[in-house]
Amino acid sequence: MVAHSNNRPSRRALAALALDRRRMLALGGLAAGAGALGACGSNTGRGSSDGVNLYQWYHQYGEAGTKEAAEKYAAAYEDATVSINWVPGDYDTTLSSGLLAENPGDYPDVFESHLNRSMVDSGQIVPLDDLFDGVLDDFTDIDVKRNSIDGKIYGIQMIDDPQFLYYRPSLLADAGVAEPATFDDLAAAAAELTTSDVKGLFLGNDDSATKLFQPIVFSAGQTLLTDDFQIGFDKDTVIAGALQVKALHESGSLLIGAPTEAWDPSSIIQGLCAIQWCGLWALPQIIDTYGDDIAVMPFPGFAGGAQTVYNGGWSTFVNAKSEHVDEAKAFAKWLWIDNEEYIQDWCLSYGFHIPPRKSMAANADALAEGPAATAVQISQDYGWGDDPNWTPTMETAVDDMMTHIVLEGADPSAEFDTAAQTIQTELDSIFG
């Protein structure tokens, strides 16, 4: 199951969700409005004698069987009638509108999203700490942090989606290229693997300019924001990394203008590139094409830094506006914390994701060997996740900085200073 619709969100778009919002859209359009939203719902829960109705919202996943699975889970819940709203198109915008709706049924009681501080400051969601009693240690630190604001947990991780580089070992062996461990190694390998028909590397159609800022930061052992809400990265680190990216951009080794974005494995499957950045969700498709001739690796380190793996995914939240908050929390716990059968089914039956419960991931046979096992291991060894205090304004500032440096040749020092000032102004406005 791909953790997105047929247009995988970019980092900026996923960073844009429910404050206006967020991270990694162009999912096209269900306009707000009770009639339109209700048309996508399915009343599939059996319901309880007290007549509690809950509305659960999902964005439209791309894999066959996902909608039916969500409806199956809802139908199995006996303590409320759970209606599924399967939202095609621009989920971010539709969700933002739905969270402002006033009438039950027009807004979700339970919904999937990505946490940001705006959701908490505006009172859109409720804390879920009590749901984690006895099981908190079974969730990764990354997932707890990405779903927490000011020491309270607001989201339950539904799926973990590490992103890394796919490559065909046979192509590297034929070219005499070893698996790259550093960014310079990666650039050299991409150049060596580029032919008249195949580009060495595909990182995305934005030419990698915006995608690589956060790997630069985390490779250096730094972070976006410190625990006391200060900028967590330094100028020298970012400029050195940005200039490495600029050199790669100018090398002619990158695939640009691919038919689909990097969330879709079509480019490596069709032989348009030798190495592609994508996510674990794509592994079954790639294996169907190449069999044993596929491997995964973390993103190489920048300027002497460590390798990195971005761990993405989706979480479920409870709407503070719900007329049945306690019942909505009970349903969310039943489905996304307690129900091992359905969690495993959701993560591994329709695509490929890591179950967020560490015990469940360790017992998943599908993740026990081959590239899947490597993906799990490198996500644990090199993984980092989203910071819910990192706002869309901050992301836009660094995206613009990288674009101006990498694609337009702007002065790196001036661009960094501009981005840092925007981020600091944003921090001051939020935290004082």
Side-chain angles (χ1 to χ4, degrees):
M1 167 180 49
V2 182
H4 49 264
S5 79
N6 287 338
N7 291 307
R8 177 149 185 96
S10 67
R11 276 201 62 77
R12 184 182 297 188
L14 274 177
L17 214 162
L19 18 73
D20 278 321
R21 176 133 110 158
R22 180 187 51 140
R23 199 172 133 328
M24 296 182 116
L25 228 165
L27 304 165
L30 197 70
L37 295 177
C40 288
S42 301
N43 292 328
T44 53
R46 293 185 222 169
S48 63
S49 58
D50 61 6
V52 172
N53 294 300
L54 299 176
Y55 296 85
Q56 182 184 22
W57 286 24
Y58 295 82
H59 78 288
Q60 181 178 346
Y61 286 75
E63 300 79 1
T66 49
K67 183 173 184 289
E68 292 77 11
E71 292 173 342
K72 177 181 73 174
Y73 309 153
Y77 191 62
E78 298 184 347
D79 293 333
T81 298
V82 181
S83 300
I84 301 300
N85 190 23
W86 193 257
V87 182
D90 187 345
Y91 180 72
D92 285 3
T93 299
T94 302
L95 177 61
S96 294
S97 298
L99 291 174
L100 296 174
E102 296 297 330
N103 298 320
D106 293 346
Y107 57 72
D109 298 282
V110 180
F111 62 93
E112 63 177 9
S113 185
H114 306 86
L115 181 63
N116 59 72
R117 178 168 286 274
S118 170
M119 298 164 72
V120 175
D121 290 347
S122 61
Q124 290 180 326
I125 53 179
V126 299
L128 304 178
D129 301 77
D130 55 314
L131 305 188
F132 289 85
D133 287 347
V135 298
L136 184 60
D137 289 344
D138 203 26
F139 288 82
T140 67
D141 291 342
I142 291 174
D143 285 342
V144 173
K145 181 178 179 180
R146 82 163 94 235
N147 287 301
S148 299
I149 293 281
D150 297 337
K152 294 183 178 181
I153 304 174
Y154 289 89
I156 306 170
Q157 195 75 10
M158 300 159 57
I159 53 177
D160 281 334
D161 274 335
Q163 299 176 25
F164 36 74
L165 294 175
Y166 284 95
Y167 68 95
R168 292 174 59 195
S170 64
L171 291 183
L172 271 65
D174 290 346
V177 173
E179 179 181 294
T182 70
F183 189 83
D184 287 341
D185 290 343
L186 178 64
E192 189 69 27
L193 293 165
T194 295
T195 69
S196 59
D197 300 318
V198 179
K199 289 292 186 179
L201 180 62
F202 181 44
L203 299 177
N205 284 328
D206 71 348
D207 206 2
S208 77
T210 60
K211 181 171 289 185
L212 295 184
F213 169 76
Q214 295 198 25
I216 290 170
V217 169
F218 286 95
S219 176
Q222 299 176 12
T223 189
L224 301 177
L225 300 173
T226 63
D227 291 340
D228 58 351
F229 309 120
Q230 302 297 316
I231 294 173
F233 49 88
D234 65 57
K235 187 173 186 174
D236 290 344
T237 294
V238 171
I239 289 178
L243 292 177
Q244 285 184 284
V245 177
K246 185 174 187 294
L248 175 65
H249 158 69
E250 294 171 347
S251 70
S253 302
L254 289 174
L255 174 62
I256 306 299
T260 59
E261 254 300 346
W263 57 261
D264 187 320
S266 295
S267 290
I268 194 168
I269 285 174
Q270 295 173 7
L272 303 179
C273 62
I275 303 172
Q276 177 174 338
W277 190 351
C278 197
L280 180 62
W281 59 82
L283 182 58
Q285 289 177 266
I286 298 175
I287 287 178
D288 283 347
T289 302
Y290 293 119
D292 294 336
D293 189 23
I294 197 67
V296 301
M297 61 179 169
F299 200 86
F302 286 85
Q307 297 167 299
T308 65
V309 173
Y310 168 64
N311 284 331
W314 289 83
S315 301
T316 201
F317 301 88
V318 171
N319 189 353
K321 187 182 291 185
S322 172
E323 293 187 336
H324 305 290
V325 167
D326 290 341
E327 291 87 348
K329 289 173 60 177
F331 170 67
K333 181 178 187 295
W334 173 83
L335 180 54
W336 298 121
I337 292 182
D338 297 337
N339 203 313
E340 179 170 353
E341 177 187 351
Y342 288 163
I343 293 170
Q344 295 279 32
D345 183 60
W346 186 245
C347 290
L348 294 168
S349 294
Y350 311 98
F352 225 54
H353 313 270
I354 300 175
R357 295 283 298 275
K358 289 185 285 188
S359 59
M360 295 182 192
N363 292 326
D365 292 341
L367 301 174
E369 59 185 9
T374 302
V376 173
Q377 188 63 54
I378 63 177
S379 72
Q380 295 171 351
D381 293 344
Y382 306 111
W384 54 274
D386 299 307
D387 185 337
N389 292 297
W390 183 255
T391 70
T393 296
M394 298 174 190
E395 182 65 26
T396 297
V398 296
D399 285 355
D400 290 346
M401 175 194 69
M402 291 294 290
T403 297
H404 296 160
I405 295 172
V406 173
L407 304 185
E408 300 170 9
D411 176 61
S413 179
E415 291 297 327
F416 180 91
D417 290 344
T418 297
Q421 182 58 57
T422 299
I423 295 168
Q424 189 60 57
T425 299
E426 180 84 341
L427 288 170
D428 291 343
S429 71
I430 297 171
F431 301 106

PDB file of all heavy atoms in Angstrom, residues 354-373:
ATOM      1  N   ILE A 354       6.369  -0.700   7.063  1.00  0.00           N
ATOM      2  CA  ILE A 354       6.771  -1.296   8.328  1.00  0.00           C
ATOM      3  C   ILE A 354       5.680  -1.030   9.360  1.00  0.00           C
ATOM      4  O   ILE A 354       5.294   0.124   9.553  1.00  0.00           O
ATOM      5  CB  ILE A 354       8.108  -0.699   8.821  1.00  0.00           C
ATOM      6  CG1 ILE A 354       9.215  -0.955   7.801  1.00  0.00           C
ATOM      7  CG2 ILE A 354       8.491  -1.306  10.171  1.00  0.00           C
ATOM      8  CD1 ILE A 354      10.526  -0.296   8.156  1.00  0.00           C
ATOM      9  N   PRO A 355       5.164  -2.055  10.032  1.00  0.00           N
ATOM     10  CA  PRO A 355       4.213  -1.803  11.119  1.00  0.00           C
ATOM     11  C   PRO A 355       4.876  -0.958  12.206  1.00  0.00           C
ATOM     12  O   PRO A 355       6.017  -1.233  12.598  1.00  0.00           O
ATOM     13  CB  PRO A 355       3.888  -3.212  11.631  1.00  0.00           C
ATOM     14  CG  PRO A 355       4.202  -4.127  10.486  1.00  0.00           C
ATOM     15  CD  PRO A 355       5.373  -3.499   9.799  1.00  0.00           C
ATOM     16  N   PRO A 356       4.189   0.066  12.705  1.00  0.00           N
ATOM     17  CA  PRO A 356       4.823   0.960  13.677  1.00  0.00           C
ATOM     18  C   PRO A 356       5.160   0.303  15.016  1.00  0.00           C
ATOM     19  O   PRO A 356       6.089   0.743  15.690  1.00  0.00           O
ATOM     20  CB  PRO A 356       3.792   2.075  13.861  1.00  0.00           C
ATOM     21  CG  PRO A 356       2.955   2.022  12.635  1.00  0.00           C
ATOM     22  CD  PRO A 356       2.905   0.573  12.260  1.00  0.00           C
ATOM     23  N   ARG A 357       4.396  -0.713  15.422  1.00  0.00           N
ATOM     24  CA  ARG A 357       4.724  -1.421  16.660  1.00  0.00           C
ATOM     25  C   ARG A 357       5.986  -2.249  16.419  1.00  0.00           C
ATOM     26  O   ARG A 357       6.028  -3.099  15.519  1.00  0.00           O
ATOM     27  CB  ARG A 357       3.556  -2.313  17.082  1.00  0.00           C
ATOM     28  CG  ARG A 357       2.281  -1.564  17.471  1.00  0.00           C
ATOM     29  CD  ARG A 357       2.399  -0.956  18.845  1.00  0.00           C
ATOM     30  NE  ARG A 357       2.581  -1.964  19.867  1.00  0.00           N
ATOM     31  CZ  ARG A 357       1.581  -2.639  20.457  1.00  0.00           C
ATOM     32  NH1 ARG A 357       0.322  -2.388  20.101  1.00  0.00           N
ATOM     33  NH2 ARG A 357       1.838  -3.528  21.398  1.00  0.00           N
ATOM     34  N   LYS A 358       7.008  -2.009  17.219  1.00  0.00           N
ATOM     35  CA  LYS A 358       8.285  -2.685  17.016  1.00  0.00           C
ATOM     36  C   LYS A 358       8.135  -4.204  17.098  1.00  0.00           C
ATOM     37  O   LYS A 358       8.773  -4.937  16.320  1.00  0.00           O
ATOM     38  CB  LYS A 358       9.304  -2.191  18.045  1.00  0.00           C
ATOM     39  CG  LYS A 358       9.765  -0.765  17.808  1.00  0.00           C
ATOM     40  CD  LYS A 358      10.859  -0.339  18.766  1.00  0.00           C
ATOM     41  CE  LYS A 358      10.345  -0.050  20.148  1.00  0.00           C
ATOM     42  NZ  LYS A 358      11.389   0.555  21.025  1.00  0.00           N
ATOM     43  N   SER A 359       7.308  -4.676  18.014  1.00  0.00           N
ATOM     44  CA  SER A 359       7.115  -6.121  18.142  1.00  0.00           C
ATOM     45  C   SER A 359       6.474  -6.701  16.892  1.00  0.00           C
ATOM     46  O   SER A 359       6.822  -7.812  16.462  1.00  0.00           O
ATOM     47  CB  SER A 359       6.254  -6.426  19.369  1.00  0.00           C
ATOM     48  OG  SER A 359       4.983  -5.792  19.275  1.00  0.00           O
ATOM     49  N   MET A 360       5.538  -5.967  16.296  1.00  0.00           N
ATOM     50  CA  MET A 360       4.882  -6.440  15.082  1.00  0.00           C
ATOM     51  C   MET A 360       5.838  -6.432  13.903  1.00  0.00           C
ATOM     52  O   MET A 360       5.840  -7.356  13.072  1.00  0.00           O
ATOM     53  CB  MET A 360       3.657  -5.580  14.775  1.00  0.00           C
ATOM     54  CG  MET A 360       2.557  -5.669  15.812  1.00  0.00           C
ATOM     55  SD  MET A 360       1.112  -4.677  15.351  1.00  0.00           S
ATOM     56  CE  MET A 360       0.194  -4.698  16.891  1.00  0.00           C
ATOM     57  N   ALA A 361       6.668  -5.406  13.814  1.00  0.00           N
ATOM     58  CA  ALA A 361       7.651  -5.340  12.725  1.00  0.00           C
ATOM     59  C   ALA A 361       8.638  -6.500  12.836  1.00  0.00           C
ATOM     60  O   ALA A 361       9.012  -7.116  11.824  1.00  0.00           O
ATOM     61  CB  ALA A 361       8.374  -4.005  12.765  1.00  0.00           C
ATOM     62  N   ALA A 362       9.059  -6.811  14.060  1.00  0.00           N
ATOM     63  CA  ALA A 362      10.030  -7.883  14.246  1.00  0.00           C
ATOM     64  C   ALA A 362       9.454  -9.242  13.878  1.00  0.00           C
ATOM     65  O   ALA A 362      10.194 -10.151  13.482  1.00  0.00           O
ATOM     66  CB  ALA A 362      10.502  -7.894  15.701  1.00  0.00           C
ATOM     67  N   ASN A 363       8.138  -9.394  14.004  1.00  0.00           N
ATOM     68  CA  ASN A 363       7.504 -10.681  13.719  1.00  0.00           C
ATOM     69  C   ASN A 363       6.912 -10.775  12.313  1.00  0.00           C
ATOM     70  O   ASN A 363       6.263 -11.769  11.991  1.00  0.00           O
ATOM     71  CB  ASN A 363       6.397 -10.945  14.745  1.00  0.00           C
ATOM     72  CG  ASN A 363       6.944 -11.170  16.145  1.00  0.00           C
ATOM     73  OD1 ASN A 363       8.021 -11.742  16.305  1.00  0.00           O
ATOM     74  ND2 ASN A 363       6.219 -10.707  17.152  1.00  0.00           N
ATOM     75  N   ALA A 364       7.129  -9.762  11.478  1.00  0.00           N
ATOM     76  CA  ALA A 364       6.564  -9.763  10.128  1.00  0.00           C
ATOM     77  C   ALA A 364       7.462 -10.565   9.189  1.00  0.00           C
ATOM     78  O   ALA A 364       8.581 -10.148   8.874  1.00  0.00           O
ATOM     79  CB  ALA A 364       6.420  -8.327   9.628  1.00  0.00           C
ATOM     80  N   ASP A 365       6.988 -11.716   8.759  1.00  0.00           N
ATOM     81  CA  ASP A 365       7.795 -12.578   7.886  1.00  0.00           C
ATOM     82  C   ASP A 365       8.201 -11.867   6.600  1.00  0.00           C
ATOM     83  O   ASP A 365       9.297 -12.106   6.077  1.00  0.00           O
ATOM     84  CB  ASP A 365       7.014 -13.851   7.550  1.00  0.00           C
ATOM     85  CG  ASP A 365       6.820 -14.764   8.750  1.00  0.00           C
ATOM     86  OD1 ASP A 365       7.568 -14.608   9.739  1.00  0.00           O
ATOM     87  OD2 ASP A 365       5.910 -15.618   8.703  1.00  0.00           O
ATOM     88  N   ALA A 366       7.333 -11.014   6.081  1.00  0.00           N
ATOM     89  CA  ALA A 366       7.619 -10.346   4.809  1.00  0.00           C
ATOM     90  C   ALA A 366       8.794  -9.386   4.907  1.00  0.00           C
ATOM     91  O   ALA A 366       9.363  -8.987   3.876  1.00  0.00           O
ATOM     92  CB  ALA A 366       6.378  -9.584   4.330  1.00  0.00           C
ATOM     93  N   LEU A 367       9.170  -9.013   6.133  1.00  0.00           N
ATOM     94  CA  LEU A 367      10.269  -8.075   6.329  1.00  0.00           C
ATOM     95  C   LEU A 367      11.526  -8.755   6.844  1.00  0.00           C
ATOM     96  O   LEU A 367      12.478  -8.082   7.250  1.00  0.00           O
ATOM     97  CB  LEU A 367       9.849  -6.982   7.324  1.00  0.00           C
ATOM     98  CG  LEU A 367       8.626  -6.156   6.943  1.00  0.00           C
ATOM     99  CD1 LEU A 367       8.254  -5.214   8.090  1.00  0.00           C
ATOM    100  CD2 LEU A 367       8.892  -5.347   5.682  1.00  0.00           C
ATOM    101  N   ALA A 368      11.561 -10.079   6.806  1.00  0.00           N
ATOM    102  CA  ALA A 368      12.607 -10.822   7.496  1.00  0.00           C
ATOM    103  C   ALA A 368      13.857 -11.061   6.668  1.00  0.00           C
ATOM    104  O   ALA A 368      14.908 -11.411   7.223  1.00  0.00           O
ATOM    105  CB  ALA A 368      12.054 -12.157   7.985  1.00  0.00           C
ATOM    106  N   GLU A 369      13.804 -10.870   5.357  1.00  0.00           N
ATOM    107  CA  GLU A 369      14.971 -11.185   4.547  1.00  0.00           C
ATOM    108  C   GLU A 369      15.013 -10.327   3.295  1.00  0.00           C
ATOM    109  O   GLU A 369      14.048  -9.654   2.943  1.00  0.00           O
ATOM    110  CB  GLU A 369      14.957 -12.668   4.152  1.00  0.00           C
ATOM    111  CG  GLU A 369      13.742 -13.105   3.354  1.00  0.00           C
ATOM    112  CD  GLU A 369      13.724 -14.608   3.101  1.00  0.00           C
ATOM    113  OE1 GLU A 369      14.563 -15.323   3.693  1.00  0.00           O
ATOM    114  OE2 GLU A 369      12.887 -15.054   2.298  1.00  0.00           O
ATOM    115  N   GLY A 370      16.159 -10.361   2.627  1.00  0.00           N
ATOM    116  CA  GLY A 370      16.334  -9.638   1.375  1.00  0.00           C
ATOM    117  C   GLY A 370      16.329  -8.127   1.546  1.00  0.00           C
ATOM    118  O   GLY A 370      16.616  -7.599   2.632  1.00  0.00           O
ATOM    119  N   PRO A 371      15.988  -7.410   0.477  1.00  0.00           N
ATOM    120  CA  PRO A 371      15.974  -5.953   0.542  1.00  0.00           C
ATOM    121  C   PRO A 371      15.033  -5.396   1.602  1.00  0.00           C
ATOM    122  O   PRO A 371      15.303  -4.335   2.178  1.00  0.00           O
ATOM    123  CB  PRO A 371      15.510  -5.543  -0.864  1.00  0.00           C
ATOM    124  CG  PRO A 371      15.845  -6.694  -1.736  1.00  0.00           C
ATOM    125  CD  PRO A 371      15.692  -7.916  -0.884  1.00  0.00           C
ATOM    126  N   ALA A 372      13.933  -6.109   1.885  1.00  0.00           N
ATOM    127  CA  ALA A 372      13.012  -5.636   2.914  1.00  0.00           C
ATOM    128  C   ALA A 372      13.694  -5.606   4.271  1.00  0.00           C
ATOM    129  O   ALA A 372      13.548  -4.645   5.037  1.00  0.00           O
ATOM    130  CB  ALA A 372      11.768  -6.520   2.960  1.00  0.00           C
ATOM    131  N   ALA A 373      14.432  -6.649   4.600  1.00  0.00           N
ATOM    132  CA  ALA A 373      15.147  -6.679   5.871  1.00  0.00           C
ATOM    133  C   ALA A 373      16.211  -5.592   5.921  1.00  0.00           C
ATOM    134  O   ALA A 373      16.417  -4.957   6.969  1.00  0.00           O
ATOM    135  CB  ALA A 373      15.777  -8.058   6.084  1.00  0.00           C
TER     136      ALA A 373
END
